Amino acid sequence: MRLRLAGAVLLSAAAYYVYLPLPSGVSEPWKLMLLDALFRSFMQASDVAHALGVCHRIHLLNHVVSWVEEIEARSCPAVHVTDTVLGGVPTRVFQPKGGKQLKRGVIYFHGGGWALCSGRMRSYDHLCRKMAEDLDSVVMSVDYRLAPDAVFPAQYHDALAASRAFLSAEVLERYSIDPERVCVSGDSAGGNLAAAVAQELSSDDALTANFKLQALIYPVLQALDFYTPSYQQNRDVPILYRPIMARYWLQYLGADTSLEPLLLANNHSSLDQPALSSSIRSKLDWTALLPAERRKHFQPVVRETGSPRVMGEVPQLIDVRAAPLLAEQGVLGRTPKAYVMTCEFDVLRDDGLMYVRRLQDAGVTVTSDHYEDGFHGCMVFAYLPMMSKVGWRSMNNYIHWLDQNL
């Protein structure tokens, strides 16, 4: 009887820990709850280790990710897989066997808040392997340096160096890639890097080859407004919580994470900030850039007075290499045809949707692929153990778009 009682108590405690009220429209809520419980457990353990001085929280999280998820480069009957270096940056290459003599080419940057994950993870390996096979394309998955050991602009420089090498005549010839059918892509923080690289290289007339497409998967594109409608609506929706995104930004920019409450209050973008001109503010004015069905009932949060020291300590917040949404229209107009995936239950939804509008206003052809039941990171959870339905659907649609346009 005591064992039964103890079991019931433990089961109730586990259910209490796992259960999280979620919006009714989110795909497969119980799977997301279980995933979130697992993530919260790891993050809480890493916070304890960090507080005790055992190691940095990010180092522990990456150690767990490496132990659980990273796999060796293993070829299969359809795809040859190798680890190499691209522009001085570790990269995993997926080459389809057979098919056309000249291949399409995709360079891919993984997500993880510029601090976590790797192209060697099982989820990214599966994604890139499928892309290589389905598209008859050479896919190069880049392992850029990570925070806290490397901070902005190191990740950007790695992405840029790898992209320049990818577009070089030597690499294109070695891997039999058609120079007129190449794409830059990435998810989340990797989508940020892909957008920044596309902006930089589209203006480089010295390149003999350049990207035909940019494909951005729920990208993070700005850190000046943490009160966009999607940040307000999804502040308590896993797996990317609003405070976590602010912390990722501060870690990426090499700033003091004690500034997190100021970012979350929008004190860093108050009206008394001399560094924030009306031109900069217009580039993320969601009241003008978002459609009414996304603005809903939410109101902007703009402080009259804030914390001027934040912009002084972290001027990178308005560096377009870190925040591609802030680019000038002329720069955006030179970027390639675009695909932007967004998810309704994602704090970053409006970053992507505002970028869609700004690209369109600049004359760029854009496909906006929105998932009403999607959540942040869903595409990389298409495979086991989660087998997310919206993840599988979004991945197939993303690959289909590449197939039709690349």
Side-chain angles (χ1 to χ4, degrees), residues 342-362:
T342 52
C343 294
E344 182 62 22
F345 303 108
D346 178 7
V347 293
L348 301 181
R349 180 198 70 190
D350 295 342
D351 282 27
L353 292 178
M354 286 191 287
Y355 201 56
V356 166
R357 173 65 184 275
R358 292 215 60 220
L359 287 170
Q360 290 173 334
D361 288 349

Side-chain angles (χ1 to χ4, degrees), residues 27-28 108 127 130-131 134 185 187 215-218 339-344 367-383 387-402:
S27 176
E28 301 176 291
Y108 194 91
L127 169 64
K130 180 174 175 60
M131 289 167 64
D134 290 0
S185 186
D187 65 290
L216 315 178
I217 313 301
Y218 29 78
Y339 167 94
V340 182
M341 182 191 297
T342 52
C343 294
E344 182 62 22
T367 296
S368 179
D369 190 15
H370 185 71
Y371 291 85
E372 293 289 352
D373 57 344
F375 56 90
H376 189 78
C378 62
M379 192 179 78
V380 295
F381 297 115
Y383 291 94
M387 292 288 288
S388 166
K389 289 181 180 178
V390 67
W392 186 257
R393 190 168 73 249
S394 61
M395 179 181 65
N396 283 329
N397 289 343
Y398 159 65
I399 293 175
H400 177 72
W401 184 85
L402 288 175

Side-chain angles (χ1 to χ4, degrees), residues 120-330:
R120 301 186 302 275
M121 286 173 54
R122 184 177 288 104
S123 51
Y124 286 110
D125 187 277
H126 287 338
L127 169 64
C128 294
R129 195 177 295 263
K130 180 174 175 60
M131 289 167 64
E133 184 174 1
D134 290 0
L135 297 171
D136 189 32
S137 170
V138 176
V139 180
M140 299 194 181
S141 182
V142 179
D143 267 333
Y144 52 87
R145 285 171 289 173
L146 300 174
D149 302 318
V151 298
F152 177 83
Q155 289 88 334
Y156 168 78
H157 283 159
D158 282 357
L160 189 60
S163 297
R164 287 189 182 280
F166 176 73
L167 293 171
S168 69
E170 178 188 355
V171 169
L172 295 174
E173 183 178 353
R174 182 192 311 159
Y175 292 98
S176 299
I177 299 172
D178 186 340
E180 296 184 358
R181 305 180 75 186
V182 287
C183 170
V184 61
S185 186
D187 65 290
S188 193
N192 168 285
L193 295 173
V197 163
Q199 290 180 9
E200 176 66 22
L201 296 186
S202 64
S203 300
D204 189 344
D205 295 330
L207 291 174
T208 56
N210 217 323
F211 294 115
K212 179 182 180 182
L213 304 175
Q214 56 180 322
L216 315 178
I217 313 301
Y218 29 78
V220 50
L221 299 168
Q222 61 86 28
L224 292 179
D225 190 356
F226 285 89
Y227 277 93
T228 62
S230 60
Y231 266 115
Q232 295 185 57
Q233 172 184 289
N234 300 310
R235 61 191 307 154
D236 296 320
V237 178
I239 57 172
L240 184 60
Y241 294 98
R242 189 168 165 269
I244 298 299
M245 192 62 249
R247 182 185 296 179
Y248 280 149
W249 266 112
L250 291 169
Q251 288 174 162
Y252 177 43
L253 299 179
D256 189 339
T257 54
S258 67
L259 297 175
E260 182 185 313
L262 301 181
L263 263 65
L264 291 174
N266 270 5
N267 279 358
H268 63 309
S269 55
S270 54
L271 294 177
D272 62 342
Q273 301 283 353
L276 299 183
S277 64
S278 58
S279 174
I280 290 176
R281 294 182 187 278
S282 69
K283 293 165 186 170
L284 45 87
D285 178 10
W286 56 262
T287 63
L289 294 171
L290 292 180
E293 65 267 23
R294 304 303 169 198
R295 297 196 304 267
K296 299 179 182 176
H297 61 281
F298 297 105
Q299 297 297 317
V301 175
V302 182
R303 310 292 180 189
E304 290 287 338
T305 58
S307 305
R309 72 183 184 92
V310 179
M311 291 305 301
E313 292 181 23
V314 199
Q316 305 94 315
L317 286 164
I318 55 173
D319 189 321
V320 294
R321 299 172 301 169
L325 183 61
L326 303 182
E328 296 293 337
Q329 188 174 38

Side-chain angles (χ1 to χ4, degrees), residues 60-80:
L60 179 58
L61 285 172
N62 264 327
H63 180 74
V64 171
V65 168
S66 298
W67 180 64
V68 173
E69 272 281 300
E70 285 193 9
I71 59 176
E72 296 295 320
R74 295 176 182 170
S75 299
C76 64
V79 181
H80 181 60

